[in-house]
Amino acid sequence: MTLTTFALVRHGQTDWNAERRLQGSTDIPLNDIGRSQAREVIAVLSKYEWDVIVSSPLGRAAETADIIATGLGQTVDRRIPELTERAFGPAEGLQDGPDLDALRIPGGFRGAESEEDAGFRGLAALEALASEFSGQRILVIAHGTLLRASLDRAVGLDLPSIENAAFNLAHYDSAEGWQLEYFNGERVMTTV
């Protein structure tokens, strides 16, 4: 059994997060709180050695990854387009209310990428990393919906939202599948 370990970290806060707007693939930058959150999660991540650091290419994830990597004395190895947040189409930038409700359809929003498609895209990207870096520790900085939807498919659960800059730890083995150890900084299982 070859176990590959993943830390899956959502980017720090943006102004749209604070305003509870759907961001999706719109490239919104971190705010000062988000930068602070990225610096704070370094303390948890520094308890492990990371062989590879990757992120989404969107600015909020890329900046979070750069802050974390610098704090760990490392560099980001790669920006992976498949780790970009779920595209919410015309719903991006909207808050809960009549305009957003008008776009709702079963399973998502009209003109948006489905959560199922985003989850499968994200999970495929993670499993490709596990194949390329088998047995190593991979730090991934990406987006809340993409990471949650990917983990939902990986472990067969319906997980709640992932918090900004929260520590999530999962393990992958090609024969045994996925196991989730930490979710939003809380232990959810015993160590594999």
Side-chain angles (χ1 to χ4, degrees):
M1 175 168 101
T2 303
L3 201 62
T4 304
T5 297
F6 287 87
L8 305 169
V9 177
R10 179 183 177 192
H11 60 79
Q13 186 188 77
T14 69
D15 287 344
W16 278 21
N17 290 143
E19 295 166 3
R20 303 196 52 78
R21 294 182 184 278
L22 284 177
Q23 287 181 116
S25 58
T26 303
D27 204 358
I28 304 301
L30 291 180
N31 61 25
D32 288 339
I33 292 170
R35 290 180 191 95
S36 177
Q37 290 170 329
R39 287 188 294 273
E40 288 170 10
V41 77
I42 293 167
V44 175
L45 293 168
S46 67
K47 295 176 183 176
Y48 302 83
E49 290 186 23
W50 300 103
D51 299 302
V52 178
I53 301 175
V54 300
S55 80
S56 156
L58 290 180
R60 60 192 183 267
E63 184 178 0
T64 301
D66 291 342
I67 291 168
I68 290 170
T70 298
L72 294 173
Q74 295 182 247
T75 58
V76 176
D77 297 283
R78 176 181 320 165
R79 311 283 186 203
I80 300 176
E82 292 80 11
L83 295 175
T84 298
E85 179 63 294
R86 173 184 175 194
F88 287 103
E92 291 189 15
L94 298 180
Q95 297 170 304
D96 274 334
D99 291 340
L100 187 60
D101 288 342
L103 294 171
R104 289 188 192 279
I105 58 172
F109 301 98
R110 190 173 52 253
E113 179 181 23
S114 74
E115 183 168 308
E116 181 178 38
D117 286 349
F120 285 125
R121 171 173 54 83
L123 187 57
L126 295 176
E127 290 182 354
L129 285 166
S131 177
E132 182 177 355
F133 301 104
S134 180
Q136 296 185 47
R137 292 182 177 269
I138 306 167
L139 174 51
V140 176
I141 296 89
H143 306 274
T145 300
L146 180 84
L147 291 174
R148 182 193 46 76
S150 301
L151 283 172
D152 282 353
R153 275 133 198 86
V155 298
L157 296 173
D158 187 15
L159 297 164
S161 296
I162 293 179
E163 297 167 8
N164 289 106
F167 176 69
N168 303 283
L169 192 70
H171 308 279
Y172 177 75
D173 176 82
S174 59
E176 300 292 324
W178 287 88
Q179 293 184 346
L180 184 59
E181 185 176 351
Y182 283 88
F183 186 76
N184 279 336
E186 300 292 325
R187 184 181 287 277
V188 294
M189 63 160 276
T190 56
T191 305
V192 210

